């Protein structure tokens, strides 16, 4: 039995492999209520962490790359067109990822044509970075909740992760809140430029990186703290 993206009915199959494996993450980002879900395997690809994150807490996010003999396990979600559009918007539209159609083999042996998000060529890091513990734990827990193969979950558990202080996690969270709010309005270009500059600091040596991140984060964190105090979290 072969599934399709069902464009005629408006439904779209989406293949989640990163933090969107976690139901809480999906609910927070785009309030998704899938019409159907099933775990599956994408062959000929591998999971990578070469998508810039939100410093200082998250050095990198997940993407996938083509690789002969590789496998990426994930969750197939059947979404309405409206839900899929909300998901695309929550991932930054086309600014960070490009969408490709791939064939995923569901664990029940169905072959499903699905949409998958891949890091845009201009966004990829020159080398992979170690993801934060917090981000990787979202993927690990999401994989278990999605009933992915035990051996794949064990592989995820064995991946290295970077530690971040509570202060760094707070700063990244507040910056992302302000960025998401600004990116939906007329300040979108400014917000994008600010994020690009912050992400580039990860290529600096330790001391210059901390100084540059402090300079870039200070005004944004001030705005974020003000919005939180007013009860206007994005």
């Amino acid at each position: 039995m072969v599934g399709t993206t069902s464009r005629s009915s408006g439904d779209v199959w989406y293949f989640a492999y990163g933090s969107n494996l976690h139901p809480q993450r999906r609910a927070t980002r785009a309030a998704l209520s899938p019409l159907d879900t099933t775990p599956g395997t994408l062959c000929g690809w591998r999971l990578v962490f070469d998508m810039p994150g939100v410093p200082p807490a998250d050095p990198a996010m997940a993407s996938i790359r083509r690789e002969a003999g590789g496998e990426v396990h994930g969750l197939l979600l059947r979404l309405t067109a409206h839900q899929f559009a909300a998901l695309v918007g929550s991932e930054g539209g086309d600014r960070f990822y490009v969408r490709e159609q791939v064939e995923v083999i569901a664990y029940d042996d169905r072959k499903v044509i699905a949409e998958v998000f891949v890091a845009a060529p201009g966004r990829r890091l020159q080398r992979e970075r170690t993801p934060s513990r917090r981000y990787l734990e979202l993927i690990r827990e999401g994989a278990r909740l999605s009933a992915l193969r035990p051996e794949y979950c064990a592989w995820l558990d064995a991946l290295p992760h970077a530690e971040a202080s509570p202060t760094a996690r707070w700063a990244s969270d507040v910056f992302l809140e302000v960025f998401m709010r600004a990116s939906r309005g007329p300040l979108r270009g400014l917000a994008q430029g600010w994020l690009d500059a912050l992400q580039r600091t990860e290529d600096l040596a330790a001391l210059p990186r901390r100084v540059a991140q402090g300079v870039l984060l200070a005004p944004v964190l001030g705005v974020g703290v003000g919005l939180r105090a007013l009860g206007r979290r994005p």
Side-chain angles (χ1 to χ4, degrees):
M1 178 177 175
V2 178
T4 69
T5 52
S6 304
R7 294 297 186 184
S8 59
S9 66
D11 296 345
V12 181
W13 280 102
Y14 159 68
F15 183 67
Y17 56 80
S19 60
N20 282 336
L21 285 170
H22 203 293
Q24 185 176 8
R25 179 73 165 180
R26 296 194 302 268
T28 301
R29 291 292 294 276
L32 300 182
S33 299
L35 304 173
D36 190 14
T37 62
T38 185
T41 307
L42 175 60
C43 298
W45 296 74
R46 71 179 178 94
L47 181 68
V48 294
F49 295 92
D50 66 354
M51 183 73 180
V54 182
D58 290 300
M61 302 297 184
S63 183
I64 56 175
R65 282 193 180 188
R66 295 184 184 274
E67 182 175 278
E71 282 189 357
V72 179
H73 291 246
L75 187 65
L76 286 159
L77 301 96
R78 187 161 65 92
L79 307 173
T80 65
H82 177 76
Q83 288 177 326
F84 186 67
L87 176 64
V88 171
S90 75
E91 296 288 353
D94 295 321
R95 295 191 297 277
F96 305 113
Y97 293 95
V98 294
R99 298 186 295 281
E100 293 198 24
Q101 283 196 350
V102 293
E103 182 181 86
V104 179
I105 303 174
Y107 284 4
D108 60 10
D109 292 329
R110 284 182 294 164
K111 293 182 179 179
V112 179
I113 305 302
E115 300 276 349
V116 69
F117 293 166
V118 181
R123 289 287 172 184
R124 286 190 183 278
L125 298 167
Q126 293 184 352
R127 58 179 177 83
E128 291 188 55
R129 292 178 182 151
T130 304
S132 69
R133 176 193 288 271
R134 174 180 59 171
Y135 181 70
L136 197 49
E137 282 299 330
L138 275 174
I139 299 176
R140 291 165 173 163
E141 186 173 350
R144 290 190 289 271
L145 292 173
S146 301
L148 301 193
R149 303 270 191 223
E151 57 269 27
Y152 189 77
C153 292
W155 177 77
L156 290 173
D157 289 340
L159 291 177
H161 54 253
E163 298 289 352
S165 69
T167 301
R169 291 196 296 270
W170 172 82
S172 288
D173 286 345
V174 174
F175 181 92
L176 186 58
E177 289 173 8
V178 176
F179 170 79
M180 294 301 292
R181 184 182 183 89
S183 64
R184 294 193 292 265
L187 297 178
R188 180 171 58 186
L190 177 62
Q192 183 58 64
W194 214 280
L195 177 60
D196 289 344
L198 184 61
Q199 290 171 336
R200 285 196 294 271
T201 64
E202 287 293 301
D203 294 323
L204 301 175
L207 182 58
R209 180 173 66 246
R210 287 195 292 270
V211 172
Q213 289 180 352
V215 170
L216 288 168
L217 284 169
V220 181
L221 296 183
V223 172
V225 170
L227 290 174
R228 286 186 170 190
L230 293 172
R232 296 173 57 190
R233 291 185 60 167

